[in-house]
Amino acid sequence: MADASEERTTRVRPIRVPDPLWTAYGNVVARRGSNRTEALMEAMRQDIRKNGTDEDKALLDEAERELAERRSRKGGRPRKTE
Amino acid sequence: MADASEERTTRVRPIRVPDPLWTAYGNVVARRGSNRTEALMEAMRQDIRKNGTDEDKALLDEAERELAERRSRKGGRPRKTE
């Protein structure tokens, strides 16, 4: 069953992208051992660090905590409290 | 009604992103007059140009032609043949 707390803060976002661009990008990031979602999140992260306001950077910090929690859950040790 | 030929080659792609990251990124790109989809496509484009194979770059060229056609249709002059 989906983790409700995760669903609330990590949503699927739709972006419209031409197929050949999506394919080529998938090829490029796969060669460096990544995937599109990871690579696009890294691009967003770098842009926010470089061009974001303090408020944007605080939101980024919050997102990093969510991602760390998600990774720890995927690691097989779900924690209900923390 | 949706343009079937466009639907076939420009699909909505789902990426899972924490809300605060999505919000902060939206703020950053809005300040430079862009939007998330445009900015993410630009990031993908730059990555492919820098790190793609010839095949990836050919796919990118194909995508650019699709985007140009989409823009021309949005400009109010849909062309059924070309």
Side-chain angles (χ1 to χ4, degrees), chain B residues 46-79:
Chain B
Q46 287 179 10
D47 204 339
I48 296 164
R49 283 200 193 119
K50 188 175 175 185
N51 301 307
T53 62
D54 287 348
E55 185 187 0
D56 298 330
K57 289 172 189 170
L59 287 167
L60 176 58
D61 288 342
E62 188 184 328
E64 299 289 13
R65 284 192 294 275
E66 288 187 21
L67 290 166
E69 282 178 32
R70 200 203 301 183
R71 279 191 297 269
S72 78
R73 282 199 298 272
K74 279 193 176 170
R77 298 186 304 171
R79 284 176 274 189

Side-chain angles (χ1 to χ4, degrees), chain B residues 7-41:
Chain B
E7 292 310 314
R8 198 170 54 240
T9 55
T10 300
R11 280 175 242 189
V12 172
R13 304 296 186 164
I15 58 171
R16 281 177 61 83
V17 180
D19 284 8
L21 177 54
W22 195 247
T23 299
Y25 188 62
N27 293 343
V28 167
V29 300
R31 278 197 298 273
R32 57 176 183 251
S34 188
N35 61 62
R36 295 180 191 91
T37 292
E38 281 302 317
L40 289 173
M41 283 207 289

Side-chain angles (χ1 to χ4, degrees), chain A:
Chain A
M1 186 185 282
D3 180 324
S5 67
E6 179 179 345
E7 291 311 313
R8 199 168 55 241
T9 56
T10 299
R11 279 174 244 190
V12 172
R13 304 297 186 163
I15 58 170
R16 280 177 62 82
V17 180
D19 284 6
L21 177 55
W22 196 246
T23 299
Y25 188 62
N27 294 342
V28 167
V29 299
R31 276 196 299 272
R32 58 177 182 253
S34 188
N35 62 60
R36 296 181 190 92
T37 293
E38 281 303 318
L40 288 173
M41 283 207 290
E42 182 58 26
M44 289 188 256
R45 187 182 274 130
Q46 288 180 10
D47 204 339
I48 296 164
R49 283 200 192 119
K50 187 174 177 186
N51 301 305
T53 62
D54 287 348
E55 186 188 358
D56 297 330
K57 289 172 189 170
L59 287 168
L60 176 58
D61 289 342
E62 189 183 326
E64 299 288 14
R65 286 192 293 275
E66 288 187 21
L67 289 167
E69 282 178 32
R70 200 203 303 182
R71 280 191 297 267
S72 76
R73 282 199 299 272
K74 281 194 175 171
R77 299 184 306 171
R79 284 176 273 192
K80 289 221 167 178
T81 59
E82 186 171 344

